[in-house]
């Protein structure tokens, strides 16, 4: 799964990356420990142009009476996303791109959960495939999103059994629906050699932790 991420890209850099028009409230700057329910920069496509928008990380189905009326849906499993009532309409018509430097994953070893940081080997921004939805009740409007996840590929499998959908730039237009149908074919784990992962310190176990040291490789014991 993907439940924590890092993003240090300025808003203008993300807008250039996607060739998108940025909104005024898009979060940017150094954010090394982004948690669910926080605001994410998200690229969507419609009416002939791409837009970079701010969205709450945590998809809210339309039948929720309040944002906390059910489970927090930060991920959507690729195997069932087209069937689940919460996601089936969004995966057909409201797909999005979510940029990040990388994300954190935890490996369970006995009673201990050991954190890892995952990024692209080539140093490029990581772009997740997601889906989004507006939720409105009682005058409150939230634009929300979730990240699609897959069975882990060869790099991540030793750490965790799931991984987020990471899309290559050549596939962004298809995922956004700009090239017609076929987005389902993109829901595949990244081949070996695309991603890298390393152990980091347990400071990141706290959702209040911050700072560049969170993703530094854990020093080998002397």
């Amino acid at each position: 799964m993907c439940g924590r991420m890092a993003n240090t890209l300025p808003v203008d850099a993300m807008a250039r990356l996607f060739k998108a028009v940025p909104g005024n409230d898009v979060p940017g700057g150094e954010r090394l420990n982004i948690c669910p329910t926080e605001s994410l920069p998200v690229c969507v496509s419609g009416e002939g142009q791409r837009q970079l928008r701010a969205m709450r990380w945590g998809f809210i189905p339309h039948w929720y009476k309040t944002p906390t009326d059910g489970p927090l849906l930060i991920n959507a499993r690729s195997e069932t996303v087209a069937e689940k009532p919460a996601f089936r309409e969004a995966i057909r018509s409201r797909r999005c791109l979510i940029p990040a430097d990388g994300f954190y994953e935890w490996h369970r070893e006995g009673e201990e959960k050991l954190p890892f940081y995952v990024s692209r080997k080539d140093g490029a921004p990581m772009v997740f495939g997601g889906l989004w939805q507006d939720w409105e009740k009682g005058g409150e409007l939230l634009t929300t999103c979730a990240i699609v996840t897959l069975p882990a590929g060869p790099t991540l499998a030793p750490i965790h059994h799931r991984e987020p959908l990471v899309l290559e730039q050549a596939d962004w237009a298809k995922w956004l629906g700009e090239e017609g149908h076929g987005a389902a074919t993109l829901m595949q784990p990244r081949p070996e050699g695309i991603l890298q992962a390393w152990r980091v310190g347990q400071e990141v176990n706290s959702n209040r932790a911050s700072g560049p040291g969170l993703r530094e490789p854990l020093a080998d014991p002397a």
Side-chain angles (χ1 to χ4, degrees), residues 118-158:
V118 185
S119 65
R120 291 185 62 103
K121 273 189 174 180
D122 60 9
M126 188 176 281
V127 176
F128 304 127
L131 56 158
W132 68 278
Q133 174 159 288
D134 284 334
W135 176 88
E136 187 172 11
K137 286 284 189 301
E140 182 180 11
L141 173 63
L142 293 173
T143 302
T144 70
C145 64
I147 295 170
V148 175
T149 66
L150 317 156
T155 303
L156 274 293

Side-chain angles (χ1 to χ4, degrees), residues 67-80:
T68 57
D69 200 28
L72 182 61
L73 305 177
I74 63 171
N75 297 142
R77 295 172 68 95
S78 62
E79 303 95 318
T80 58

Side-chain angles (χ1 to χ4, degrees), residues 47 89 191:
E47 300 181 353
E89 184 180 343

Side-chain angles (χ1 to χ4, degrees), residues 126-217:
M126 188 176 281
V127 176
F128 304 127
L131 56 158
W132 68 278
Q133 174 159 288
D134 284 334
W135 176 88
E136 187 172 11
K137 286 284 189 301
E140 182 180 11
L141 173 63
L142 293 173
T143 302
T144 70
C145 64
I147 295 170
V148 175
T149 66
L150 317 156
T155 303
L156 274 293
I159 299 171
H160 196 274
H161 66 285
R162 305 290 298 177
E163 70 176 58
L165 170 61
V166 177
L167 295 170
E168 301 301 316
Q169 187 169 355
D171 297 327
W172 294 352
K174 180 174 285 188
W175 185 256
L176 290 174
E178 297 169 346
E179 296 180 352
H181 301 293
T185 63
L186 303 177
M187 291 192 283
Q188 303 291 333
R190 294 302 85 195
E192 195 164 7
I194 300 295
L195 303 180
Q196 60 184 352
W198 59 82
R199 273 287 314 280
V200 295
Q202 296 195 0
E203 292 83 4
V204 76
N205 290 355
S206 168
N207 58 14
R208 298 179 180 178
S210 63
L214 293 180
R215 59 182 179 178
E216 290 298 314

